[in-house]
Amino acid sequence: MEPNDTILTFDTLYTTNEIQILKLALPLLSPSLRPYAALLIKGKELKYCMDQLPKSRIEHAALELSYLDVFLENALPYCSPRQKEVISQIKQIKHSLDMFEKMKGMMSVFGEDAPDDISTLFHMFGQSEADSRTKPPEDFLRSVMSGEQADMFEMYKKKFEEDL
């Protein structure tokens, strides 16, 4: 879905025919009246959204992480350079975590000692927590592998990237 499609879908879901008619009438108003009409429209949109809130308690609230990649990509055109940097870092972290999750399944060779999270893996190989925040996990993994293991890691990495 294109970013504008997502925005238009949102606008369509959280509006009424009355609000749409008011928006269409904006060009009929003089420029000095348009800000007042815009405020009226925003107020009506707020009231409509508030009316859509559930009347009961929210039992479960969660993020749809499966949509995270799409969101990050679509948000880029609206971001400042600093925000783009942060998004790039988030994407890199998510990619590394996705790879770790896939590799975790292959780590059954460790038996009962198989790590169940990334911090356990770092501690298992003696990397400090500070290092784990500054170096990508895959750099650390490569540093503790033999040449043959590193080649196998690269092969699996390519395979996983094809699957993503």
Side-chain angles (χ1 to χ4, degrees), residues 105-163:
M106 293 183 299
M107 291 185 168
S108 59
V109 295
F110 287 115
E112 290 180 13
D113 296 330
D116 59 350
D117 65 18
I118 201 159
S119 64
T120 305
L121 181 65
F122 286 128
H123 291 296
M124 220 169 106
F125 290 108
Q127 183 181 25
S128 72
E129 211 168 306
D131 286 345
S132 69
R133 284 192 296 265
T134 58
K135 292 182 184 175
E138 37 187 283
D139 289 352
F140 169 71
L141 288 173
R142 274 192 208 95
S143 72
V144 296
M145 293 178 187
S146 68
E148 185 179 306
Q149 290 170 328
D151 291 341
M152 188 180 298
F153 176 79
E154 286 301 318
M155 181 184 73
Y156 280 120
K157 179 182 173 196
K158 286 178 187 172
K159 175 69 174 132
F160 293 138
E161 286 173 347
E162 290 171 6
D163 292 344

Side-chain angles (χ1 to χ4, degrees), residues 26-71:
L26 274 177
L28 296 172
L29 301 175
S30 66
S32 62
L33 289 178
R34 288 181 190 158
Y36 296 102
L39 186 60
L40 171 71
I41 291 168
K42 293 297 179 188
K44 287 186 170 288
E45 287 176 331
L46 177 62
K47 183 183 178 323
Y48 180 76
C49 287
M50 290 175 67
D51 290 343
Q52 302 307 307
L53 291 173
K55 303 298 182 227
S56 60
R57 266 188 32 214
I58 297 174
E59 296 296 325
H60 177 72
L63 295 175
E64 291 291 333
L65 292 180
S66 60
Y67 184 74
L68 182 62
D69 290 327
V70 174
F71 165 75

Side-chain angles (χ1 to χ4, degrees), residues 1-10 62-75 78 87 90-91 94 98:
M1 186 179 286
E2 294 293 317
N4 288 340
D5 292 344
T6 304
I7 294 169
L8 290 173
T9 300
F10 173 83
L63 295 175
E64 291 291 333
L65 292 180
S66 60
Y67 184 74
L68 182 62
D69 290 327
V70 174
F71 165 75
L72 293 174
E73 206 55 45
N74 289 338
Y78 304 100
I87 285 178
I90 291 170
K91 287 168 73 172
K94 184 178 182 308
D98 289 344

